[in-house]
Amino acid sequence: MLTVEDLTVAFGPTVAVRGVDLHAEPGTVTGILGANGAGKTTTLLGVHGRVRRRSGRILFDGRDVTGDDTRALVRAGIALCPENRRLFPNMSIEDNLLLGAYGHGRRTQRARLADVLGRFAWLRERAGEPAGRLSGGQQQIVAIARALMSHPRLVLLDEPSSGLSPVAVDEIGDVLAGIAADGTTILLVEQNVRLVQRLCSTAYVLAHGRVAAQGPVSTLLADSAVSDAYLGTTR
Ligand SMILES: Nc1ncnc2c1ncn2[C@@H]1O[C@H](COP(=O)(O)OP(=O)(O)O)[C@@H](O)[C@H]1O
Ligand SMILES: [Mg+2]
């Protein structure tokens, strides 16, 4: 579904991502783990054409999309749910969601809104309220729902559990499990190892911009050298 080859991204003298290779199988949830500053966010932004790549080749569905900009990648079926949710707190939930289908005709936008609100019934009742009035967990669900508005086949998700209570993290887990069960492929950046354990069969561990380890999640977590060095004690 997604193959990333030799992705390198630098911010001036800081090389945030160095020669990263990744692969996500269709219909799976693939994890990207690693400490703060490891290069996880930059990897997703690099895949999605939101930062300039120094090197890298991106294949999606067997097609070379390396030259595509973000808008073309969204059209091709890749959506990003960014770090820190990035909702507009003073705008209504509905208007936040509609931004996820930006550039489509009004009829398509409305149809997709109805779709997404059908999935999250509680959201439909609150669609006119400012997004900022929701709890953190609810806002994260709106951010995920906004990504679904483009009808993606691949969702790049950046730390959806960040700052949430354990109960809210479990709810996010339920939402993501549902999306995956529908056949949508997910590339999940997470520091919450439990969430990765629940959702992902395979994962990559980034450290200092490189892939430090990769493989089945159970194998990675059983390797104390990997979990002690890169995954902290969140386990
Ligand atoms: N816009 C930027 N300008 C300069 N440096 C950046 C920028 N974004 C990220 N970095 C640096 O790149 C490295 C990787 O950051 P990031 O991808 O955000 O890591 P993570 O998401 O794993 O916490 C860090 O050293 C960070 O300070
Ligand atoms: Mg990050």
Side-chain angles (χ1 to χ4, degrees), residues 44-61:
L44 294 191
L45 297 178
V47 169
H48 214 225
R50 290 172 188 256
V51 291
R52 221 171 66 85
R53 305 178 197 118
R54 184 178 278 184
S55 70
R57 192 157 169 258
I58 316 290
L59 303 172
F60 180 59
D61 258 357

PDB file of all heavy atoms in Angstrom, residues 44-61:
ATOM      1  N   LEU A  44       6.089  11.559   8.928  1.00  0.00           N
ATOM      2  CA  LEU A  44       4.729  11.656   8.370  1.00  0.00           C
ATOM      3  C   LEU A  44       4.612  12.881   7.460  1.00  0.00           C
ATOM      4  O   LEU A  44       4.022  12.799   6.373  1.00  0.00           O
ATOM      5  CB  LEU A  44       3.677  11.743   9.486  1.00  0.00           C
ATOM      6  CG  LEU A  44       3.492  10.517  10.384  1.00  0.00           C
ATOM      7  CD1 LEU A  44       2.237  10.683  11.244  1.00  0.00           C
ATOM      8  CD2 LEU A  44       3.397   9.224   9.575  1.00  0.00           C
ATOM      9  N   LEU A  45       5.163  14.011   7.901  1.00  0.00           N
ATOM     10  CA  LEU A  45       5.078  15.234   7.090  1.00  0.00           C
ATOM     11  C   LEU A  45       5.834  15.056   5.771  1.00  0.00           C
ATOM     12  O   LEU A  45       5.405  15.549   4.726  1.00  0.00           O
ATOM     13  CB  LEU A  45       5.623  16.436   7.873  1.00  0.00           C
ATOM     14  CG  LEU A  45       4.861  16.809   9.150  1.00  0.00           C
ATOM     15  CD1 LEU A  45       5.542  17.992   9.849  1.00  0.00           C
ATOM     16  CD2 LEU A  45       3.397  17.139   8.869  1.00  0.00           C
ATOM     17  N   GLY A  46       6.939  14.324   5.838  1.00  0.00           N
ATOM     18  CA  GLY A  46       7.715  14.057   4.626  1.00  0.00           C
ATOM     19  C   GLY A  46       6.946  13.182   3.654  1.00  0.00           C
ATOM     20  O   GLY A  46       6.934  13.437   2.441  1.00  0.00           O
ATOM     21  N   VAL A  47       6.286  12.157   4.183  1.00  0.00           N
ATOM     22  CA  VAL A  47       5.476  11.291   3.314  1.00  0.00           C
ATOM     23  C   VAL A  47       4.377  12.108   2.655  1.00  0.00           C
ATOM     24  O   VAL A  47       4.084  11.954   1.467  1.00  0.00           O
ATOM     25  CB  VAL A  47       4.859  10.123   4.129  1.00  0.00           C
ATOM     26  CG1 VAL A  47       3.801   9.381   3.317  1.00  0.00           C
ATOM     27  CG2 VAL A  47       5.953   9.155   4.586  1.00  0.00           C
ATOM     28  N   HIS A  48       3.771  13.027   3.432  1.00  0.00           N
ATOM     29  CA  HIS A  48       2.597  13.758   2.946  1.00  0.00           C
ATOM     30  C   HIS A  48       2.955  15.033   2.174  1.00  0.00           C
ATOM     31  O   HIS A  48       2.083  15.851   1.885  1.00  0.00           O
ATOM     32  CB  HIS A  48       1.682  14.101   4.133  1.00  0.00           C
ATOM     33  CG  HIS A  48       0.230  14.094   3.793  1.00  0.00           C
ATOM     34  ND1 HIS A  48      -0.645  15.081   4.187  1.00  0.00           N
ATOM     35  CD2 HIS A  48      -0.508  13.211   3.077  1.00  0.00           C
ATOM     36  CE1 HIS A  48      -1.858  14.793   3.738  1.00  0.00           C
ATOM     37  NE2 HIS A  48      -1.802  13.664   3.069  1.00  0.00           N
ATOM     38  N   GLY A  49       4.214  15.203   1.870  1.00  0.00           N
ATOM     39  CA  GLY A  49       4.619  16.359   1.062  1.00  0.00           C
ATOM     40  C   GLY A  49       4.481  17.693   1.771  1.00  0.00           C
ATOM     41  O   GLY A  49       4.383  18.737   1.135  1.00  0.00           O
ATOM     42  N   ARG A  50       4.495  17.681   3.099  1.00  0.00           N
ATOM     43  CA  ARG A  50       4.309  18.922   3.851  1.00  0.00           C
ATOM     44  C   ARG A  50       5.624  19.561   4.256  1.00  0.00           C
ATOM     45  O   ARG A  50       5.640  20.688   4.746  1.00  0.00           O
ATOM     46  CB  ARG A  50       3.436  18.675   5.090  1.00  0.00           C
ATOM     47  CG  ARG A  50       1.994  18.396   4.698  1.00  0.00           C
ATOM     48  CD  ARG A  50       1.186  17.958   5.891  1.00  0.00           C
ATOM     49  NE  ARG A  50      -0.136  17.520   5.505  1.00  0.00           N
ATOM     50  CZ  ARG A  50      -1.255  18.219   5.672  1.00  0.00           C
ATOM     51  NH1 ARG A  50      -1.220  19.408   6.226  1.00  0.00           N
ATOM     52  NH2 ARG A  50      -2.413  17.727   5.296  1.00  0.00           N
ATOM     53  N   VAL A  51       6.705  18.827   4.121  1.00  0.00           N
ATOM     54  CA  VAL A  51       8.039  19.403   4.275  1.00  0.00           C
ATOM     55  C   VAL A  51       8.858  18.941   3.078  1.00  0.00           C
ATOM     56  O   VAL A  51       8.571  17.926   2.462  1.00  0.00           O
ATOM     57  CB  VAL A  51       8.734  18.947   5.590  1.00  0.00           C
ATOM     58  CG1 VAL A  51       8.050  19.543   6.818  1.00  0.00           C
ATOM     59  CG2 VAL A  51       8.777  17.429   5.691  1.00  0.00           C
ATOM     60  N   ARG A  52       9.892  19.727   2.766  1.00  0.00           N
ATOM     61  CA  ARG A  52      10.717  19.397   1.616  1.00  0.00           C
ATOM     62  C   ARG A  52      11.584  18.190   1.939  1.00  0.00           C
ATOM     63  O   ARG A  52      12.199  18.132   3.000  1.00  0.00           O
ATOM     64  CB  ARG A  52      11.593  20.596   1.251  1.00  0.00           C
ATOM     65  CG  ARG A  52      11.707  20.838  -0.240  1.00  0.00           C
ATOM     66  CD  ARG A  52      12.412  22.158  -0.484  1.00  0.00           C
ATOM     67  NE  ARG A  52      13.794  22.113  -0.026  1.00  0.00           N
ATOM     68  CZ  ARG A  52      14.799  21.637  -0.767  1.00  0.00           C
ATOM     69  NH1 ARG A  52      14.588  21.197  -1.985  1.00  0.00           N
ATOM     70  NH2 ARG A  52      16.015  21.633  -0.291  1.00  0.00           N
ATOM     71  N   ARG A  53      11.593  17.230   1.010  1.00  0.00           N
ATOM     72  CA  ARG A  53      12.456  16.056   1.213  1.00  0.00           C
ATOM     73  C   ARG A  53      13.818  16.306   0.579  1.00  0.00           C
ATOM     74  O   ARG A  53      13.885  16.818  -0.524  1.00  0.00           O
ATOM     75  CB  ARG A  53      11.848  14.832   0.526  1.00  0.00           C
ATOM     76  CG  ARG A  53      10.439  14.516   0.941  1.00  0.00           C
ATOM     77  CD  ARG A  53       9.906  13.311   0.166  1.00  0.00           C
ATOM     78  NE  ARG A  53       8.448  13.275   0.269  1.00  0.00           N
ATOM     79  CZ  ARG A  53       7.621  13.366  -0.767  1.00  0.00           C
ATOM     80  NH1 ARG A  53       8.082  13.456  -2.005  1.00  0.00           N
ATOM     81  NH2 ARG A  53       6.319  13.360  -0.570  1.00  0.00           N
ATOM     82  N   ARG A  54      14.845  15.918   1.303  1.00  0.00           N
ATOM     83  CA  ARG A  54      16.189  15.983   0.713  1.00  0.00           C
ATOM     84  C   ARG A  54      16.379  14.771  -0.196  1.00  0.00           C
ATOM     85  O   ARG A  54      17.025  14.845  -1.226  1.00  0.00           O
ATOM     86  CB  ARG A  54      17.240  16.008   1.821  1.00  0.00           C
ATOM     87  CG  ARG A  54      18.638  16.159   1.304  1.00  0.00           C
ATOM     88  CD  ARG A  54      19.623  16.231   2.441  1.00  0.00           C
ATOM     89  NE  ARG A  54      19.718  17.564   3.015  1.00  0.00           N
ATOM     90  CZ  ARG A  54      20.584  17.879   3.973  1.00  0.00           C
ATOM     91  NH1 ARG A  54      21.392  16.954   4.481  1.00  0.00           N
ATOM     92  NH2 ARG A  54      20.634  19.107   4.439  1.00  0.00           N
ATOM     93  N   SER A  55      15.838  13.633   0.226  1.00  0.00           N
ATOM     94  CA  SER A  55      15.799  12.459  -0.646  1.00  0.00           C
ATOM     95  C   SER A  55      14.561  11.664  -0.264  1.00  0.00           C
ATOM     96  O   SER A  55      13.948  11.913   0.777  1.00  0.00           O
ATOM     97  CB  SER A  55      17.043  11.586  -0.463  1.00  0.00           C
ATOM     98  OG  SER A  55      17.009  10.963   0.808  1.00  0.00           O
ATOM     99  N   GLY A  56      14.215  10.707  -1.105  1.00  0.00           N
ATOM    100  CA  GLY A  56      13.101   9.832  -0.750  1.00  0.00           C
ATOM    101  C   GLY A  56      12.215   9.531  -1.928  1.00  0.00           C
ATOM    102  O   GLY A  56      12.040  10.356  -2.817  1.00  0.00           O
ATOM    103  N   ARG A  57      11.687   8.330  -1.900  1.00  0.00           N
ATOM    104  CA  ARG A  57      10.784   7.884  -2.936  1.00  0.00           C
ATOM    105  C   ARG A  57       9.545   7.350  -2.228  1.00  0.00           C
ATOM    106  O   ARG A  57       9.656   6.611  -1.248  1.00  0.00           O
ATOM    107  CB  ARG A  57      11.498   6.769  -3.713  1.00  0.00           C
ATOM    108  CG  ARG A  57      10.843   6.391  -4.991  1.00  0.00           C
ATOM    109  CD  ARG A  57      11.875   5.750  -5.922  1.00  0.00           C
ATOM    110  NE  ARG A  57      11.161   5.164  -7.036  1.00  0.00           N
ATOM    111  CZ  ARG A  57      10.911   3.865  -7.150  1.00  0.00           C
ATOM    112  NH1 ARG A  57      11.352   3.008  -6.255  1.00  0.00           N
ATOM    113  NH2 ARG A  57      10.217   3.424  -8.178  1.00  0.00           N
ATOM    114  N   ILE A  58       8.373   7.789  -2.686  1.00  0.00           N
ATOM    115  CA  ILE A  58       7.124   7.373  -2.054  1.00  0.00           C
ATOM    116  C   ILE A  58       6.291   6.617  -3.086  1.00  0.00           C
ATOM    117  O   ILE A  58       5.970   7.159  -4.148  1.00  0.00           O
ATOM    118  CB  ILE A  58       6.283   8.594  -1.568  1.00  0.00           C
ATOM    119  CG1 ILE A  58       7.153   9.651  -0.862  1.00  0.00           C
ATOM    120  CG2 ILE A  58       5.117   8.138  -0.694  1.00  0.00           C
ATOM    121  CD1 ILE A  58       7.704   9.259   0.464  1.00  0.00           C
ATOM    122  N   LEU A  59       5.954   5.368  -2.763  1.00  0.00           N
ATOM    123  CA  LEU A  59       5.094   4.573  -3.634  1.00  0.00           C
ATOM    124  C   LEU A  59       3.786   4.318  -2.902  1.00  0.00           C
ATOM    125  O   LEU A  59       3.787   3.930  -1.733  1.00  0.00           O
ATOM    126  CB  LEU A  59       5.752   3.227  -3.960  1.00  0.00           C
ATOM    127  CG  LEU A  59       7.128   3.293  -4.610  1.00  0.00           C
ATOM    128  CD1 LEU A  59       7.745   1.903  -4.705  1.00  0.00           C
ATOM    129  CD2 LEU A  59       7.025   3.927  -5.996  1.00  0.00           C
ATOM    130  N   PHE A  60       2.686   4.584  -3.597  1.00  0.00           N
ATOM    131  CA  PHE A  60       1.370   4.369  -2.990  1.00  0.00           C
ATOM    132  C   PHE A  60       0.545   3.548  -3.960  1.00  0.00           C
ATOM    133  O   PHE A  60       0.363   3.951  -5.110  1.00  0.00           O
ATOM    134  CB  PHE A  60       0.699   5.725  -2.707  1.00  0.00           C
ATOM    135  CG  PHE A  60      -0.666   5.602  -2.086  1.00  0.00           C
ATOM    136  CD1 PHE A  60      -0.838   4.942  -0.870  1.00  0.00           C
ATOM    137  CD2 PHE A  60      -1.782   6.159  -2.707  1.00  0.00           C
ATOM    138  CE1 PHE A  60      -2.095   4.842  -0.294  1.00  0.00           C
ATOM    139  CE2 PHE A  60      -3.040   6.065  -2.127  1.00  0.00           C
ATOM    140  CZ  PHE A  60      -3.194   5.403  -0.921  1.00  0.00           C
ATOM    141  N   ASP A  61       0.101   2.379  -3.497  1.00  0.00           N
ATOM    142  CA  ASP A  61      -0.672   1.507  -4.371  1.00  0.00           C
ATOM    143  C   ASP A  61       0.101   1.176  -5.649  1.00  0.00           C
ATOM    144  O   ASP A  61      -0.478   1.154  -6.738  1.00  0.00           O
ATOM    145  CB  ASP A  61      -1.977   2.193  -4.776  1.00  0.00           C
ATOM    146  CG  ASP A  61      -3.150   1.666  -3.981  1.00  0.00           C
ATOM    147  OD1 ASP A  61      -2.949   0.746  -3.174  1.00  0.00           O
ATOM    148  OD2 ASP A  61      -4.261   2.192  -4.178  1.00  0.00           O
TER     149      ASP A  61
END
